[in-house]
Amino acid sequence: MSESVVQQRHYLRAMGIDLWLERQEAQQSDTSLQNNWQDLEQAVAACQRCELHLCRKQTVFGRGSQQARLMLIGEAPGAEEDRQGLPFVGRAGQLLDRIIAGVGLNMDDIYIANILKCRPPNNRDPNAAEVAQCQDYLQQQVDLLQPQLILALGRIAAHNLLHVSTALSRLRGQAYVFGQTKIPLWVSYHPAYLLRNPADKAKAYEDWLKVAELLK
Ligand code: URA
């Protein structure tokens, strides 16, 4: 901070304009958070907004390319993700990697994140308060990445991104848009669901082929 700015602040404080200064400072730190992956990841790592920080091993921010055109959004970290600090690295993640390779997509073109950055105990569904507290982290990831397309993986991601409660089987197969910037969004099954319901893998494959085609 330059000497003249320090002096200006001194005068403003002396005039009792502290509140305005605090607001300016808060706005400046918000802006730098939005402009910088590293700052955002650090803010997430230090987050104590909800009780999940008490039982996490670590936060799970995201993985993949920060230049990716496709953003995958899942639900929340599981046990393995909590251990490694990376999304989709357990059994569901291994299936996801096989699907990605199977439709000819490359991890250089993909970024993966979750609705929640901390593991809910016993892998229970995220609750509304946790989603609300975590939502601006995901929004900032989307703003930084500006993906060409978002793929919501599973019911929890689809419901929270689209603000609907329709069954996933009825949501897939159609194009949606996400947020104010209207990023095209597609919906498919969660890989953990596919591990339990392998008969639906063919439908998931159709979704992924469509996504691959849209990216071309
Ligand atoms: N399931 C998710 O939704 N996200 C992960 O990171 C792992 C499993």
Side-chain angles (χ1 to χ4, degrees):
M1 204 183 295
S2 75
E3 212 175 307
S4 65
V5 173
V6 173
Q7 215 167 28
Q8 191 188 18
R9 291 189 166 207
H10 175 77
Y11 289 134
L12 286 166
R13 284 217 159 93
M15 288 160 71
I17 314 186
D18 286 20
L19 257 181
W20 178 82
L21 281 176
E22 277 166 24
R23 224 175 20 240
Q24 290 288 96
E25 279 160 8
Q27 266 169 13
Q28 272 165 10
S29 69
D30 274 0
T31 313
S32 63
L33 205 63
Q34 278 164 11
N35 288 332
N36 185 320
W37 281 102
Q38 241 179 4
D39 287 356
L40 179 57
E41 184 161 2
Q42 276 170 14
V44 168
C47 182
Q48 299 191 350
R49 288 180 186 177
C50 77
E51 300 227 321
L52 293 183
H53 80 274
L54 297 170
C55 49
R56 72 184 178 217
K57 285 197 168 61
Q58 57 192 314
T59 53
V60 174
F61 182 69
R63 74 173 166 106
S65 165
Q66 292 169 359
Q67 276 76 45
R69 290 179 304 151
L70 174 61
M71 182 172 194
L72 308 181
I73 302 182
E75 176 180 330
E80 195 52 37
E81 289 75 21
D82 183 52
R83 221 177 339 262
Q84 294 193 35
L86 291 168
F88 284 100
V89 287
R91 276 187 69 223
Q94 285 158 19
L95 174 59
L96 182 63
D97 290 345
R98 289 199 296 277
I99 297 174
I100 290 169
V103 294
L105 289 172
N106 192 310
M107 272 311 291
D108 291 348
D109 218 2
I110 293 178
Y111 186 83
I112 311 178
N114 283 309
I115 296 285
L116 292 192
K117 308 301 184 224
C118 296
R119 181 190 182 206
N122 304 315
N123 299 342
R124 65 156 169 74
D125 285 357
N127 67 39
E130 291 156 359
V131 172
Q133 305 278 22
C134 221
Q135 122 182 333
D136 78 306
Y137 293 137
L138 181 65
Q139 182 63 57
Q140 288 180 68
Q141 287 177 299
V142 173
D143 292 345
L144 285 168
L145 189 66
Q146 296 185 17
Q148 195 176 311
L149 182 65
I150 292 174
L151 180 62
L153 295 173
R155 171 180 63 90
I156 300 283
H159 287 180
N160 283 294
L161 295 172
L162 294 173
H163 305 291
V164 296
S165 54
T166 317
L168 190 111
S169 56
R170 290 188 45 224
L171 287 174
R172 54 174 290 278
Q174 294 175 59
Y176 303 89
V177 289
F178 171 74
Q180 289 178 344
T181 46
K182 301 207 181 315
I183 298 170
L185 184 148
W186 208 256
V187 171
S188 189
Y189 293 107
H190 194 288
Y193 167 89
L194 294 174
L195 288 172
R196 295 190 304 270
N197 301 275
D200 280 334
K201 279 186 185 172
K203 289 191 212 152
Y205 192 61
E206 276 172 31
D207 299 335
W208 276 87
L209 283 176
K210 180 72 188 174
V211 164
E213 185 193 312
L214 290 169
L215 285 176
K216 272 189 194 144

